Amino acid sequence: MTLDRLTTLRELHRLKAERERQAAQVRIQRYRTDPTAWINERINEFAWSKQREIMASLLDHRRVAVRSCHGVGKSHIASRVAGWWLDVHEPGEAFVVTTAPTFPQVRAILWRYIRQMHKRAGLIGKVNQTEWSVDGELVAFGRKPADHDEAAFQGIHARRVLVIIDEACGIPEQLWIAADALTTNDGCRILAIGNPDNPSTHFKQVSERGTNWHKIRISAFDSPNLTGEQVPPELAEMLISRGWVEEKAEEWGTDNPIYVSKVLGEFPTQDPFAVVR
Ligand SMILES: Nc1ncnc2c1ncn2[C@@H]1O[C@H](COP(=O)(O)OP(=O)(O)OP(=O)(O)O)[C@@H](O)[C@H]1O
Ligand SMILES: [Mg+2]
């Protein structure tokens, strides 16, 4: 290759990198404070009102606990939060850690949604079963550390760490401590989501009044198929239905702790499984 050709190639490469850098800057400016626009425009999806509330709450609150009924799209939106977080920060600035009570849950729930989003929206980098890397550098992973491991997530050094805890009732206190240790500066966030089915858990403690967690509750009665909120029909089809709610009221009774947890999205005073037993 001649020297001239080499210089031209280098110049083209430099211009491409510069264009990409400028595009990333525009994206960061536009979407960092507007996650709903990110969902609509960048990944071409629709989020219903409580999903938008969860995303928006992370702009102002370092720690957000979402207790919710079943099937309202909480794991789905948590995966979008992960994508948004990585997309609206400078490369190398942000890191996402996700966890759940079992490794199959990490891989088959949140990371399945992350993989779908990454592929459909053509986001940067590569995503495998439970890891996301950009230019060979890890930017997110899902883990299920040993329950007693307070040092579980040590070694992550990024200015803006986001920890996502899915199925939060099944996460023992030590792992909450490990998550907390990762998110000590103002730019970090923890999002814990789950069905409030066990009142003797750390998730219950953080969801109680008086803690400095921002709390969001989602009852089935807040969801689009029960309120009439307008959402695309293909989304409505995926979310909890009025029929299911009515069936469970009949089957369990509305004062049953299982109904309180799985339909109303509230911690029952008794352990529902103790009642079942
Ligand atoms: N905004 C959305 N756009 C498209 N699909 C969505 C959206 N929100 C949720 N879904 C789909 O609805 C289904 C249920 O969502 P998800 O698994 O997140 O619910 P969940 O509240 O976490 O349920 P569970 O209580 O079982 O954990 C999934 O197939 C998910 O992909
Ligand atoms: Mg879920």
Side-chain angles (χ1 to χ4, degrees):
M1 198 180 299
T2 64
L3 198 58
D4 274 0
R5 194 161 147 65
L6 196 64
T7 314
T8 313
L9 274 178
R10 278 214 188 107
E11 183 58 11
L12 281 174
H13 196 71
R14 194 190 63 73
L15 283 173
K16 182 167 173 267
E18 178 58 18
R19 254 202 318 273
E20 277 171 6
R21 201 190 60 75
Q22 282 173 0
Q25 277 303 321
V26 170
R27 198 174 66 226
I28 288 167
Q29 298 269 324
R30 164 109 184 87
Y31 297 126
R32 190 181 275 193
T33 54
D34 193 349
T36 300
W38 185 87
I39 292 267
N40 297 338
E41 298 168 12
R42 180 91 168 119
I43 65 165
N44 202 16
E45 270 187 11
F46 181 93
W48 70 278
S49 55
K50 281 285 183 181
Q51 291 182 319
R52 296 197 296 270
E53 182 183 333
I54 292 169
M55 288 194 93
S57 72
L58 288 161
L59 297 174
D60 300 325
H61 301 281
R62 284 188 53 241
R63 311 201 287 182
V64 175
V66 182
R67 60 191 194 283
S68 155
C69 68
H70 270 306
V72 285
K74 50 193 183 299
S75 300
H76 184 101
I77 202 65
S79 73
R80 276 44 186 166
V81 167
W84 167 71
W85 189 257
L86 293 176
D87 207 40
V88 301
H89 289 106
E90 302 282 352
E93 194 187 17
F95 200 96
V96 176
V97 177
T98 88
T99 193
T102 68
F103 183 71
Q105 283 172 325
V106 172
R107 189 183 49 204
I109 304 177
L110 209 59
W111 279 82
R112 186 163 63 86
Y113 294 153
I114 290 177
R115 283 194 299 277
Q116 285 170 352
M117 164 187 66
H118 179 266
K119 193 169 167 198
R120 277 196 218 137
L123 300 180
I124 55 165
K126 287 200 174 95
V127 175
N128 67 17
Q129 296 275 294
T130 52
E131 289 183 347
W132 187 334
S133 54
V134 176
D135 293 334
E137 205 167 303
L138 203 58
V139 294
F141 63 63
R143 290 278 187 279
K144 162 53 187 109
D147 285 351
H148 51 269
D149 190 358
E150 279 183 27
F153 305 120
Q154 254 173 20
I156 294 161
H157 299 289
R159 270 205 311 136
R160 296 182 180 272
V161 177
L162 165 71
V163 179
I164 298 177
I165 301 176
D166 196 10
E167 305 289 349
C169 252
I171 298 291
E173 186 172 3
Q174 280 85 347
L175 294 186
W176 292 81
I177 294 170
D180 208 45
L182 262 189
T183 52
T184 46
N185 61 310
D186 282 349
C188 295
R189 298 287 183 270
I190 308 184
L191 171 63
I193 55 175
N195 186 239
D197 57 17
N198 185 346
S200 45
T201 55
H202 194 71
F203 186 39
K204 165 82 173 359
Q205 285 178 28
V206 308
S207 303
E208 267 167 0
R209 239 180 260 160
T211 66
N212 57 5
W213 283 71
H214 178 72
K215 300 154 204 79
I216 295 176
R217 174 184 159 209
I218 309 176
S219 155
F221 292 97
D222 299 324
S223 67
N225 289 328
L226 284 96
T227 60
E229 179 180 332
Q230 291 294 307
V231 300
E234 59 279 10
L235 172 56
E237 232 171 74
M238 304 302 293
L239 302 177
I240 194 168
S241 71
R242 180 176 291 280
W244 189 82
V245 170
E246 286 171 358
E247 186 186 295
K248 294 305 156 195
E250 207 165 294
E251 193 176 317
W252 295 332
T254 53
D255 54 359
N256 185 319
I258 308 177
Y259 183 90
V260 172
S261 154
K262 297 198 184 300
V263 177
L264 301 182
E266 194 48 279
F267 281 96
T269 43
Q270 293 163 281
D271 177 350
F273 299 103
V275 175
V276 171
R277 274 198 295 275

